[in-house]
Amino acid sequence: MDLPAYLARIGMDAAPAPDAAGLAAMQRAHRLAIPFENLDIPLGRGISIDPAIVFDKLVTRRRGGYCFEQNQLFLRALRAAGFDARPLLARVWLMADGMPPLTHTFNLVTIGGREWIADAGFGGSFSPPMPLEDGATSQMADGTAHRLVRRDGGWMLERAGDPGATDGRSQDTRDWQPQYSFTTAPVEGIDLELSNHWTSTRPGTRFLTMQIVSLILPDGFAALTDRQLSLHRAGVTESRPIQDAADYRTILASIFGLELSVEEVDRLSRT
């Protein structure tokens, strides 16, 4: 793991201290710098989680990736920075129809005997590291909130509110929805390989039928879903359609920092 190169990619001059504040700073810097995106799937390249390939893609070539790429890179960086961390797998319940498979990975970090969940690879609104404790909550400036609840022998991460939903209600009276469920059972490399393969190849699923790009902004986040751009900033949401391939390429570069070739964007525009 080339930690200096990773830190330069996320805009940090040096590795933070391996404590709760350092974990929070590193996760936020990662989310601000590296977009969540699945564009290699519609481009026909698939998703590899070989560590060298992930590093080359997300750090050297300054692309983005989805959870199996993002959180693998984040995990290796955490360990290189002195954190005690390991991967977990989760079932995503947002928009699920029946029992969802294990299609999300994130990290469990232990600091001074206290466990934290740290997720640098769930697209959309930012969620900071949270202590693995029943009832732990986070509230973001864009109007969304998250909380952890013990459930069925494991854990459920719930979310409430949408970007810009400043309705004034307390977290206790909001309508909480399940985001993903998980246990802290050990996860092996082959488990991640299997889940990544299903997630990146299963016909008819979200990542096979949609082109998704998102990035955390200092005051919200930006999302590009197929031909629709949405900007959520300081409680205000703006949305507009993509005009053409040139507009698409400009947005990818100017908002998400993704420099794709004309040929790649033309191919994406036709799918």
Side-chain angles (χ1 to χ4, degrees):
M1 179 65 185
D2 185 346
L3 185 60
Y6 168 81
L7 294 172
R9 173 72 169 100
I10 66 171
M12 298 188 79
D13 295 329
D19 54 23
L23 175 63
M26 198 164 166
Q27 180 168 310
R28 180 166 175 78
H30 182 117
R31 291 294 313 275
L32 284 166
I34 305 179
F36 181 96
E37 52 112 332
N38 73 327
L39 299 182
D40 273 355
I41 296 176
L43 285 170
R45 298 167 182 160
I47 303 295
S48 171
I49 56 172
D50 176 274
I53 292 175
V54 171
F55 189 91
D56 177 66
K57 178 181 176 182
L58 274 65
V59 177
T60 306
R61 295 192 287 119
R62 303 184 70 83
R63 282 283 305 279
Y66 75 170
C67 68
F68 289 97
E69 301 163 287
Q70 298 267 6
N71 275 317
Q72 183 220 86
L73 178 67
F74 188 47
L75 173 64
R76 295 177 63 229
L78 287 172
R79 288 173 170 171
F83 289 90
D84 178 3
R86 63 182 177 90
L88 296 178
L89 280 167
R91 303 182 188 276
V92 178
W93 291 90
L94 290 175
M95 298 179 288
D97 182 14
M99 173 64 72
L102 294 166
T103 59
H104 182 61
T105 185
F106 61 106
N107 297 309
L108 183 70
V109 184
T110 303
I111 301 172
R114 191 183 190 191
E115 294 180 321
W116 298 74
I117 62 166
D119 192 345
F122 200 92
S125 185
F126 181 68
S127 176
M130 297 175 64
L132 189 62
E133 298 167 1
D134 192 23
T137 60
S138 68
Q139 173 68 53
M140 303 314 298
D142 67 7
T144 59
H146 293 84
R147 76 177 178 187
L148 279 165
V149 180
R150 285 190 182 273
R151 186 172 298 175
D152 301 327
W155 296 88
M156 179 70 77
L157 179 67
E158 299 179 328
R159 63 170 289 155
D162 294 315
T166 54
D167 55 14
R169 290 186 293 168
S170 70
Q171 291 182 355
D172 293 336
T173 59
R174 283 178 163 180
D175 296 324
W176 292 95
Q177 295 180 315
Q179 179 160 302
Y180 56 73
S181 62
F182 62 95
T183 72
T184 57
V187 172
E188 303 296 334
I190 193 64
D191 302 322
L192 295 168
E193 185 176 343
L194 180 64
S195 292
N196 173 64
H197 177 75
W198 193 98
T199 304
S200 62
T201 63
R202 173 73 171 181
T205 54
R206 179 174 175 82
F207 292 124
L208 271 291
T209 58
M210 303 176 73
Q211 296 175 17
I212 301 168
V213 187
S214 69
L215 182 68
I216 295 300
L217 304 174
D219 57 352
F221 74 92
L224 180 59
T225 305
D226 291 333
R227 300 297 177 270
Q228 194 72 20
L229 172 68
S230 297
L231 299 175
H232 310 273
R233 287 174 167 157
V236 177
T237 297
E238 300 177 5
S239 183
R240 74 166 179 87
I242 304 304
Q243 301 299 320
D244 52 29
D247 187 29
Y248 191 16
R249 187 165 185 251
T250 297
I251 286 170
L252 287 174
S254 62
I255 297 178
F256 301 98
L258 296 175
E259 298 284 351
L260 271 66
S261 69
V262 172
E263 293 74 19
E264 287 171 324
V265 173
D266 283 344
R267 186 171 178 181
L268 290 171
S269 298
R270 291 195 301 268
T271 58

